[in-house]
Amino acid sequence: MNVHHLTEQRAAKIAEIKGVVNNPEAFDKLEAEVRALDKQIKQAATIAEFERQAETAPDASLNKELRSYSVSKAIREAAAGTLTGVEAEMNAELGKGREVRGVMIPTAMIFGEQRAMTVGGSAGNTVATNLGGLIDRLRPVLAVQGLGATVISGLSGNLDLPRLLTGPSSSWIAEDGTSTASDSTFDSVSLRPKTVTGEMYMSRRLILQNGASLENVLRSDLAFVLAQALDKAAIAGTGASNQPTGILTAITESTTTSTVLSDIAADLIADIELDDVTGTGGFFTNPALMAVARKTKDTTGRAISQAEIFHNAPVVASNQVAAIATENPLIYGVWSELMIGYWSGVDILANPYTDASKGGLRLHAFLDADIAIRHNQAFAFKAV
């Protein structure tokens, strides 16, 4: 039985107990049943959390299949209409019940670990001697996921997660006094699929290169365009124009009047703790604010360590955290309360016609995803 049903039973028992305050035997029996339900609710919540973690944990058999998966092969064969092997199996599985415009690529192949292939390693055997190594561009990663955001994949319909807003309260009463009603109230956190898209162009020469080089380029570039969009939406999505609602839009700025960076960080941590939010927290900001933090000195001129400034909490900096006017946001949160939902793999449509005169392919990447915050109280920010 799930937490919601158990909570409903508990509310019903509390309603009953109010009517038997003058019947000690019945009161004691109902009190025991309520306490037993409290225990079951705690156990059910724990099991649900373990199941959620298991759902997001990597599947060993899937990882084994993905080792032989090739993004470049999937795109080439899909463009030619001859998709085979594990790429065909994944496309069929990810495309069930969905509109597929091109070929479906598992998100793990795009947002997973990017293994470096260098000429000095074994990958050098696949590189022709007349080709130089590719100098990749600098790119952001999906930082919010690295901070611990909860990922829910394989969604098919809209997802509503019931959320307990208020529970029953206690009060002290006089002998033979009447207790005060305090029923639980609920609402829900919704995830609805929203489509993010990006494009990249593959030249004819790149297509003709060996598969190892092409594979790394595809994964890196597709990860860049989609991770950039998801990170920006998670941080400051407006909730309008088909965007998810991000943290800086969903919550109000902290009212702390502190001006010293370490004091601001302490106040943000306190904002979370005062709302009884539990879990591992971390700071998220941009390189401009981190430059200020690294230059912070005490009265003797000694540089103060980041651990001292941010009170031993982890801190991540990314250019994805854009400045607000001339100030830089410092966000503190329990990042597991940020949810990222995926309704599909990455749908890649290879278009050979737009740039036909060049002989290349223009790739259109589509991903159905959404971002939501389970409890707004789990985050606090201040523009510094």
Side-chain angles (χ1 to χ4, degrees), residues 56 107-108 110-113 141-152 227 230-231 234 284 316 335-336 338 340 342:
T56 59
T107 53
I110 305 302
F111 297 130
E113 178 185 358
V141 296
L142 190 53
V144 292
Q145 189 168 334
L147 279 164
T150 300
V151 176
I152 305 174
L230 286 172
D231 254 352
F284 194 22
V316 173
W335 293 90
S336 59
L338 179 71
I340 304 174
Y342 293 125

Side-chain angles (χ1 to χ4, degrees), residues 256-269:
T256 176
T257 57
S258 299
T259 56
V260 177
L261 186 55
S262 61
D263 289 347
I264 293 172
D267 289 340
L268 295 181
I269 294 173

Side-chain angles (χ1 to χ4, degrees), residues 5 10 32 63 76 93 104 144 147 240 276 295 307 341 357:
H5 290 152
R10 186 183 188 281
N63 285 344
R76 282 198 301 264
E93 180 65 26
M104 298 296 287
V144 292
L147 279 164
D276 296 324
K295 295 176 183 177
S357 61

Side-chain angles (χ1 to χ4, degrees), residues 166-196:
T166 60
S169 61
S170 59
S171 60
W172 295 93
I173 60 174
E175 183 180 1
D176 294 330
T178 302
S179 60
T180 303
S182 56
D183 295 335
S184 301
T185 58
F186 301 86
D187 71 350
S188 63
V189 177
S190 300
L191 286 167
R192 301 288 186 267
K194 298 175 178 63
T195 302
V196 59

